[in-house]
Amino acid sequence: MRDAFLPPAAVSPVSLTVHIETWPLATPFHISGHVIDAARLIAVTLIDGEYVGTGEASGVFYLGETPESMAVQIEAVRPAIEAGVSRDQLLDLLPAGGARSAVDAALWSLASQRREAPVWQVAGLLAPQALLTTMTVGADTPDAMAAAARALTQARALKIKLLGTEEDAARLQAIRDMRPDVSLAVDANQGWSRTHFDAMIPVLQRLGVNMLEQPFAIGADACLETIDCPIPLAADESFQDIHDLADVSRRYDVVNIKLDKCGGLTRALDIAKRARTAGLSVMAGCMAGTSLSIAPAFLLGQLCDHVDLDGPIFLARDREPGVTYFDGRLDCPPYLWGHAVPRDTHL
Protein backbone atom coordinates (compact mmCIF):
# COMPACT_ATOMS: atom_id res chain seq x y z
CA MET A 1 0.00 0.00 0.00
CA ARG A 2 1.65 3.23 -1.12
CA ASP A 3 1.22 6.81 -0.02
CA ALA A 4 -0.87 7.52 -3.13
CA PHE A 5 -3.47 9.37 -1.08
CA LEU A 6 -1.03 11.96 0.25
CA PRO A 7 0.95 14.51 -1.77
CA PRO A 8 4.75 14.35 -1.32
CA ALA A 9 4.70 17.60 0.64
CA ALA A 10 2.75 15.85 3.43
CA VAL A 11 5.87 13.84 4.35
CA SER A 12 7.34 16.47 6.64
CA PRO A 13 9.52 16.55 9.77
CA VAL A 14 8.00 15.11 12.94
CA SER A 15 8.83 14.79 16.61
CA LEU A 16 9.19 11.17 17.78
CA THR A 17 8.65 9.78 21.27
CA VAL A 18 8.98 6.14 22.33
CA HIS A 19 7.76 4.82 25.68
CA ILE A 20 8.05 1.34 27.17
CA GLU A 21 4.82 0.35 28.91
CA THR A 22 3.53 -2.59 30.92
CA TRP A 23 -0.15 -3.54 30.88
CA PRO A 24 -0.85 -6.38 33.36
CA LEU A 25 -3.17 -9.22 32.41
CA ALA A 26 -6.09 -10.01 34.68
CA THR A 27 -4.69 -13.55 35.10
CA PRO A 28 -1.57 -15.23 33.65
CA PHE A 29 -2.04 -16.75 30.20
CA HIS A 30 -0.43 -20.08 29.31
CA ILE A 31 0.62 -21.32 25.87
CA SER A 32 3.04 -24.08 24.90
CA GLY A 33 6.43 -23.16 26.33
CA HIS A 34 5.47 -19.70 27.56
CA VAL A 35 3.50 -17.86 30.23
CA ILE A 36 2.30 -14.29 29.70
CA ASP A 37 1.37 -12.17 32.72
CA ALA A 38 1.49 -8.72 31.10
CA ALA A 39 1.62 -6.98 27.75
CA ARG A 40 5.03 -5.29 27.67
CA LEU A 41 5.16 -2.99 24.68
CA ILE A 42 6.45 0.15 23.07
CA ALA A 43 4.13 3.09 22.45
CA VAL A 44 5.18 5.43 19.62
CA THR A 45 3.98 8.97 19.03
CA LEU A 46 4.73 11.13 15.99
CA ILE A 47 3.81 14.82 16.26
CA ASP A 48 3.70 17.33 13.41
CA GLY A 49 2.35 20.53 14.87
CA GLU A 50 -1.32 19.91 15.64
CA TYR A 51 -1.22 16.45 14.06
CA VAL A 52 -0.54 13.38 16.20
CA GLY A 53 0.05 9.79 15.10
CA THR A 54 0.13 6.87 17.53
CA GLY A 55 1.01 3.19 17.46
CA GLU A 56 2.15 0.35 19.69
CA ALA A 57 3.75 -3.07 19.42
CA SER A 58 4.61 -5.93 21.75
CA GLY A 59 7.05 -7.54 19.33
CA VAL A 60 7.69 -11.20 18.56
CA PHE A 61 8.78 -12.80 21.84
CA TYR A 62 9.82 -16.16 20.35
CA LEU A 63 12.27 -14.31 18.08
CA GLY A 64 13.77 -12.52 21.07
CA GLU A 65 12.11 -9.14 20.59
CA THR A 66 11.57 -7.10 23.75
CA PRO A 67 10.34 -3.55 24.29
CA GLU A 68 13.94 -2.59 25.02
CA SER A 69 15.29 -4.10 21.80
CA MET A 70 12.52 -2.49 19.75
CA ALA A 71 13.21 0.89 21.32
CA VAL A 72 16.90 0.53 20.42
CA GLN A 73 15.96 -0.24 16.81
CA ILE A 74 13.83 2.87 16.57
CA GLU A 75 16.40 5.11 18.23
CA ALA A 76 18.98 3.95 15.69
CA VAL A 77 16.89 5.45 12.88
CA ARG A 78 15.41 8.39 14.81
CA PRO A 79 17.02 11.03 12.52
CA ALA A 80 15.47 9.47 9.42
CA ILE A 81 12.05 9.16 11.05
CA GLU A 82 12.06 12.71 12.40
CA ALA A 83 13.23 14.08 9.04
CA GLY A 84 10.01 12.71 7.56
CA VAL A 85 9.66 9.18 6.25
CA SER A 86 6.88 7.66 4.17
CA ARG A 87 5.36 4.27 4.90
CA ASP A 88 7.07 2.82 1.84
CA GLN A 89 10.44 4.22 2.92
CA LEU A 90 9.92 2.71 6.37
CA LEU A 91 9.86 -0.78 4.80
CA ASP A 92 13.54 -0.29 3.91
CA LEU A 93 14.46 1.67 7.03
CA LEU A 94 13.48 -1.01 9.59
CA PRO A 95 13.23 -4.81 9.29
CA ALA A 96 10.00 -6.71 9.79
CA GLY A 97 9.08 -6.86 13.47
CA GLY A 98 7.50 -4.91 16.28
CA ALA A 99 9.58 -1.75 15.96
CA ARG A 100 8.50 -1.17 12.38
CA SER A 101 4.91 -2.12 13.20
CA ALA A 102 4.64 0.55 15.90
CA VAL A 103 6.12 3.29 13.72
CA ASP A 104 4.04 2.19 10.72
CA ALA A 105 0.86 2.45 12.80
CA ALA A 106 1.86 5.93 13.94
CA LEU A 107 2.48 6.97 10.33
CA TRP A 108 -0.97 5.74 9.27
CA SER A 109 -2.51 7.57 12.21
CA LEU A 110 -0.56 10.73 11.36
CA ALA A 111 -1.70 10.56 7.73
CA SER A 112 -5.27 10.25 8.99
CA GLN A 113 -4.78 13.33 11.17
CA ARG A 114 -3.34 15.34 8.30
CA ARG A 115 -6.17 14.44 5.95
CA GLU A 116 -8.84 14.66 8.65
CA ALA A 117 -10.11 11.35 7.31
CA PRO A 118 -10.31 7.91 8.90
CA VAL A 119 -7.43 5.52 8.26
CA TRP A 120 -9.59 3.22 6.17
CA GLN A 121 -10.16 6.02 3.69
CA VAL A 122 -6.45 6.86 3.60
CA ALA A 123 -5.79 3.17 2.86
CA GLY A 124 -8.38 3.06 0.09
CA LEU A 125 -10.48 0.45 1.93
CA LEU A 126 -14.23 0.13 2.32
CA ALA A 127 -15.83 1.38 5.53
CA PRO A 128 -15.06 -1.24 8.21
CA GLN A 129 -17.70 -3.48 9.75
CA ALA A 130 -17.76 -5.28 13.10
CA LEU A 131 -15.91 -8.60 12.86
CA LEU A 132 -16.59 -12.00 14.37
CA THR A 133 -13.46 -12.85 16.37
CA THR A 134 -12.27 -15.95 18.15
CA MET A 135 -11.66 -15.66 21.88
CA THR A 136 -8.82 -17.64 23.38
CA VAL A 137 -8.71 -20.16 26.22
CA GLY A 138 -5.20 -20.50 27.64
CA ALA A 139 -3.73 -23.89 28.49
CA ASP A 140 -4.50 -25.23 31.97
CA THR A 141 -6.17 -28.24 33.56
CA PRO A 142 -9.30 -29.55 31.80
CA ASP A 143 -11.59 -28.23 34.53
CA ALA A 144 -9.94 -24.81 34.57
CA MET A 145 -10.14 -24.52 30.79
CA ALA A 146 -13.80 -25.54 30.79
CA ALA A 147 -14.48 -22.85 33.39
CA ALA A 148 -12.62 -20.28 31.29
CA ALA A 149 -14.66 -21.26 28.23
CA ARG A 150 -17.86 -20.91 30.24
CA ALA A 151 -16.78 -17.45 31.45
CA LEU A 152 -16.42 -16.24 27.84
CA THR A 153 -20.18 -16.06 27.62
CA GLN A 154 -20.33 -13.83 24.55
CA ALA A 155 -17.90 -15.94 22.50
CA ARG A 156 -19.20 -17.54 19.34
CA ALA A 157 -15.80 -18.97 18.37
CA LEU A 158 -13.05 -20.20 20.69
CA LYS A 159 -9.36 -20.83 20.09
CA ILE A 160 -7.97 -23.46 22.46
CA LYS A 161 -4.31 -23.46 23.47
CA LEU A 162 -2.99 -27.02 23.86
CA LEU A 163 0.41 -28.13 25.14
CA GLY A 164 1.27 -31.35 23.31
CA THR A 165 0.74 -33.51 26.40
CA GLU A 166 -1.48 -36.51 27.10
CA GLU A 167 -4.06 -34.28 28.79
CA ASP A 168 -4.80 -32.37 25.57
CA ALA A 169 -7.69 -34.65 24.59
CA ALA A 170 -9.28 -34.24 28.03
CA ARG A 171 -8.78 -30.47 27.85
CA LEU A 172 -10.54 -30.26 24.54
CA GLN A 173 -13.33 -32.63 25.56
CA ALA A 174 -14.03 -30.61 28.70
CA ILE A 175 -14.36 -27.43 26.66
CA ARG A 176 -16.62 -29.02 24.07
CA ASP A 177 -18.82 -30.46 26.81
CA MET A 178 -19.08 -27.00 28.38
CA ARG A 179 -19.55 -25.08 25.09
CA PRO A 180 -21.28 -27.26 22.49
CA ASP A 181 -22.56 -24.04 20.91
CA VAL A 182 -19.31 -22.51 19.65
CA SER A 183 -16.92 -22.98 16.77
CA LEU A 184 -13.58 -24.43 17.95
CA ALA A 185 -10.02 -23.97 16.70
CA VAL A 186 -6.88 -25.38 18.31
CA ASP A 187 -3.51 -23.63 18.59
CA ALA A 188 -0.51 -25.83 19.41
CA ASN A 189 2.08 -22.99 19.34
CA GLN A 190 4.75 -25.32 17.88
CA GLY A 191 4.35 -27.74 20.79
CA TRP A 192 3.32 -31.04 19.17
CA SER A 193 5.33 -34.06 18.10
CA ARG A 194 4.35 -36.08 15.03
CA THR A 195 3.12 -38.87 17.33
CA HIS A 196 0.91 -36.45 19.26
CA PHE A 197 -0.37 -34.95 16.02
CA ASP A 198 -1.41 -38.38 14.71
CA ALA A 199 -3.14 -39.19 18.00
CA MET A 200 -4.99 -35.88 18.23
CA ILE A 201 -6.35 -35.54 14.69
CA PRO A 202 -9.18 -38.06 15.29
CA VAL A 203 -10.00 -36.27 18.56
CA LEU A 204 -10.17 -32.92 16.77
CA GLN A 205 -12.44 -34.42 14.11
CA ARG A 206 -14.75 -36.02 16.67
CA LEU A 207 -15.12 -32.76 18.61
CA GLY A 208 -15.77 -30.63 15.54
CA VAL A 209 -12.56 -28.57 15.53
CA ASN A 210 -12.41 -26.55 12.32
CA MET A 211 -8.76 -25.39 12.35
CA LEU A 212 -5.41 -26.51 13.76
CA GLU A 213 -2.78 -23.80 14.10
CA GLN A 214 0.98 -24.38 14.08
CA PRO A 215 1.27 -27.96 15.34
CA PHE A 216 5.03 -28.25 14.70
CA ALA A 217 8.03 -26.07 15.47
CA ILE A 218 9.46 -23.58 13.00
CA GLY A 219 11.72 -25.56 10.67
CA ALA A 220 10.12 -28.90 11.59
CA ASP A 221 6.93 -28.60 9.55
CA ALA A 222 8.12 -29.75 6.11
CA CYS A 223 6.41 -33.08 6.85
CA LEU A 224 3.07 -31.31 6.37
CA GLU A 225 3.73 -31.35 2.61
CA THR A 226 3.12 -35.11 2.63
CA ILE A 227 0.30 -35.23 5.22
CA ASP A 228 -3.29 -35.22 4.02
CA CYS A 229 -4.76 -33.54 7.09
CA PRO A 230 -8.59 -33.55 7.20
CA ILE A 231 -8.59 -30.33 9.27
CA PRO A 232 -7.47 -26.98 7.81
CA LEU A 233 -3.96 -26.09 9.00
CA ALA A 234 -2.92 -22.54 9.85
CA ALA A 235 0.63 -21.17 9.87
CA ASP A 236 1.52 -18.72 12.61
CA GLU A 237 5.11 -18.96 13.83
CA SER A 238 6.13 -20.52 10.49
CA PHE A 239 4.95 -17.39 8.72
CA GLN A 240 6.67 -14.10 9.49
CA ASP A 241 6.82 -12.15 6.23
CA ILE A 242 6.37 -12.36 2.47
CA HIS A 243 9.47 -14.54 1.95
CA ASP A 244 7.74 -17.39 3.86
CA LEU A 245 4.74 -17.60 1.52
CA ALA A 246 6.20 -20.20 -0.86
CA ASP A 247 6.88 -22.76 1.88
CA VAL A 248 3.68 -21.98 3.76
CA SER A 249 1.50 -22.42 0.67
CA ARG A 250 2.80 -26.00 0.29
CA ARG A 251 2.15 -26.94 3.92
CA TYR A 252 -0.82 -24.96 5.21
CA ASP A 253 -4.27 -23.80 4.22
CA VAL A 254 -4.40 -20.56 6.23
CA VAL A 255 -1.80 -17.90 7.03
CA ASN A 256 -2.00 -15.94 10.29
CA ILE A 257 -0.86 -12.37 9.61
CA LYS A 258 0.17 -10.42 12.69
CA LEU A 259 1.31 -6.83 12.37
CA ASP A 260 4.16 -7.31 14.84
CA LYS A 261 5.52 -10.21 12.79
CA CYS A 262 5.42 -8.64 9.32
CA GLY A 263 6.17 -5.11 10.46
CA GLY A 264 2.92 -3.23 10.25
CA LEU A 265 -0.32 -2.62 8.38
CA THR A 266 1.44 -1.42 5.22
CA ARG A 267 3.14 -4.78 4.68
CA ALA A 268 0.16 -6.76 6.01
CA LEU A 269 -2.21 -5.36 3.38
CA ASP A 270 0.22 -6.46 0.68
CA ILE A 271 0.67 -9.91 2.25
CA ALA A 272 -3.09 -10.49 2.41
CA LYS A 273 -3.34 -10.00 -1.36
CA ARG A 274 -0.31 -12.17 -2.10
CA ALA A 275 -1.50 -14.93 0.23
CA ARG A 276 -4.81 -15.15 -1.61
CA THR A 277 -2.97 -15.30 -4.92
CA ALA A 278 -0.99 -18.21 -3.48
CA GLY A 279 -4.26 -20.02 -2.70
CA LEU A 280 -4.23 -19.44 1.06
CA SER A 281 -7.00 -18.26 3.33
CA VAL A 282 -6.08 -15.29 5.49
CA MET A 283 -6.33 -14.71 9.23
CA ALA A 284 -5.74 -11.51 11.19
CA GLY A 285 -4.06 -12.27 14.52
CA CYS A 286 -2.50 -10.28 17.32
CA MET A 287 0.05 -10.35 20.11
CA ALA A 288 -0.72 -9.30 23.68
CA GLY A 289 -1.53 -5.60 23.62
CA THR A 290 -4.05 -2.84 24.13
CA SER A 291 -6.74 -1.53 21.81
CA LEU A 292 -4.15 0.70 20.15
CA SER A 293 -2.55 -2.38 18.57
CA ILE A 294 -5.94 -3.84 17.62
CA ALA A 295 -7.07 -0.73 15.70
CA PRO A 296 -4.82 -1.25 12.65
CA ALA A 297 -5.29 -5.04 12.84
CA PHE A 298 -9.05 -4.42 12.72
CA LEU A 299 -8.59 -2.86 9.27
CA LEU A 300 -6.54 -5.85 8.14
CA GLY A 301 -9.33 -8.07 9.47
CA GLN A 302 -11.74 -6.53 6.97
CA LEU A 303 -9.82 -8.40 4.25
CA CYS A 304 -9.55 -11.71 6.12
CA ASP A 305 -11.48 -14.97 6.31
CA HIS A 306 -10.64 -15.52 9.99
CA VAL A 307 -10.13 -13.01 12.80
CA ASP A 308 -8.36 -13.59 16.12
CA LEU A 309 -8.14 -10.14 17.70
CA ASP A 310 -9.05 -10.68 21.34
CA GLY A 311 -5.89 -9.42 23.07
CA PRO A 312 -7.45 -6.56 25.09
CA ILE A 313 -10.06 -8.78 26.78
CA PHE A 314 -7.30 -10.37 28.88
CA LEU A 315 -5.94 -7.08 30.26
CA ALA A 316 -6.62 -5.93 33.80
CA ARG A 317 -7.41 -2.59 32.13
CA ASP A 318 -7.27 -1.27 28.58
CA ARG A 319 -6.65 2.13 27.05
CA GLU A 320 -9.59 4.50 26.94
CA PRO A 321 -11.23 4.76 24.55
CA GLY A 322 -10.90 1.14 23.48
CA VAL A 323 -12.31 -1.39 21.08
CA THR A 324 -15.63 -3.00 21.96
CA TYR A 325 -16.62 -6.67 22.06
CA PHE A 326 -20.26 -7.71 21.76
CA ASP A 327 -22.01 -10.94 20.75
CA GLY A 328 -18.65 -12.47 19.85
CA ARG A 329 -17.77 -9.55 17.60
CA LEU A 330 -15.15 -6.83 17.63
CA ASP A 331 -15.74 -3.21 16.67
CA CYS A 332 -13.30 -0.33 16.59
CA PRO A 333 -14.72 3.20 16.83
CA PRO A 334 -13.08 5.73 14.48
CA TYR A 335 -12.07 8.01 17.35
CA LEU A 336 -9.77 5.34 18.84
CA TRP A 337 -6.94 5.66 16.31
CA GLY A 338 -6.68 8.35 13.68
CA HIS A 339 -8.14 11.70 12.85
CA ALA A 340 -10.64 11.97 15.73
CA VAL A 341 -8.19 11.16 18.56
CA PRO A 342 -7.81 14.10 20.98
CA ARG A 343 -4.13 14.97 21.33
CA ASP A 344 -4.09 14.72 25.13
CA THR A 345 -5.86 11.36 25.51
CA HIS A 346 -4.28 9.00 22.96
CA LEU A 347 -1.71 7.38 25.29
Side-chain angles (χ1 to χ4, degrees):
M1 187 67 62
R2 298 191 173 275
D3 285 326
F5 300 92
L6 291 172
V11 179
S12 58
V14 297
S15 173
L16 164 70
T17 63
V18 181
H19 297 289
I20 293 176
E21 300 180 355
T22 299
W23 294 78
L25 271 59
T27 58
F29 189 82
H30 296 250
I31 65 174
S32 180
H34 194 66
V35 178
I36 304 169
D37 60 8
R40 296 193 68 245
L41 52 85
I42 54 168
V44 171
T45 302
L46 299 176
I47 300 176
D48 175 14
E50 65 180 299
Y51 304 118
V52 181
T54 57
E56 76 170 40
S58 297
V60 186
F61 71 88
Y62 55 83
L63 297 182
E65 286 194 331
T66 65
E68 291 78 11
S69 70
M70 291 186 289
V72 168
Q73 280 186 295
I74 293 173
E75 289 299 333
V77 294
R78 173 183 286 272
I81 293 173
E82 293 197 323
V85 64
S86 71
R87 297 186 296 275
D88 281 340
Q89 291 168 341
L90 184 68
L91 295 175
D92 297 321
L93 187 64
L94 285 169
R100 192 173 78 193
S101 181
V103 177
D104 179 77
L107 286 172
W108 279 106
S109 178
L110 187 63
S112 172
Q113 293 273 333
R114 287 165 168 162
R115 284 198 60 193
E116 297 186 354
V119 178
W120 62 266
Q121 284 187 351
V122 179
L125 301 175
L126 297 176
Q129 306 295 316
L131 298 170
L132 179 69
T133 180
T134 56
M135 297 184 178
T136 308
V137 176
D140 207 324
T141 65
D143 287 346
M145 293 179 73
R150 179 179 58 198
L152 292 169
T153 54
Q154 66 165 301
R156 294 168 56 187
L158 293 175
K159 177 185 282 191
I160 313 304
K161 299 287 188 176
L162 296 180
L163 299 178
T165 64
E166 290 184 1
E167 212 171 13
D168 277 352
R171 292 179 174 111
L172 197 56
Q173 183 69 63
I175 289 170
R176 177 50 87 197
D177 289 344
M178 181 62 69
R179 296 298 304 269
D181 57 312
V182 298
S183 171
L184 289 183
V186 164
D187 190 354
N189 286 112
Q190 309 185 75
W192 287 11
S193 66
R194 176 61 189 273
T195 299
H196 192 71
F197 176 91
D198 291 340
M200 285 297 296
I201 290 301
V203 177
L204 270 57
Q205 287 184 282
R206 176 170 57 83
L207 296 178
V209 171
N210 57 27
M211 185 186 299
L212 172 58
E213 189 170 344
Q214 198 67 43
F216 304 134
I218 299 172
D221 57 355
C223 62
L224 293 174
E225 295 182 28
T226 60
I227 296 175
D228 185 16
C229 184
I231 296 171
L233 296 169
D236 183 2
E237 289 89 345
S238 287
F239 179 82
Q240 303 296 320
D241 201 357
I242 287 173
H243 59 266
D244 296 315
L245 272 178
D247 286 342
V248 164
S249 64
R250 295 194 301 270
R251 302 168 187 174
Y252 297 89
D253 307 290
V254 183
V255 59
N256 188 344
I257 305 173
K258 295 179 179 177
L259 303 190
D260 282 11
K261 291 192 301 180
C262 69
L265 180 62
T266 300
R267 178 57 63 89
L269 294 174
D270 185 28
I271 289 173
K273 295 176 183 177
R274 296 194 189 201
R276 289 198 182 282
T277 300
L280 292 160
S281 293
V282 186
M283 178 193 307
C286 66
M287 301 296 189
T290 77
S291 287
L292 185 57
S293 66
I294 297 300
F298 175 72
L299 294 186
L300 171 66
Q302 304 297 316
L303 307 178
C304 293
D305 309 293
H306 313 279
V307 174
D308 181 25
L309 299 177
D310 61 346
I313 72 173
F314 300 102
L315 298 175
R317 69 176 185 90
D318 191 10
R319 297 189 194 275
E320 295 182 3
V323 298
T324 58
Y325 294 92
F326 62 97
D327 191 28
R329 295 182 178 274
L330 158 71
D331 201 8
C332 180
Y335 50 78
L336 194 160
W337 175 67
H339 76 290
V341 181
R343 177 170 177 169
D344 59 350
T345 62
H346 60 275
L347 290 176

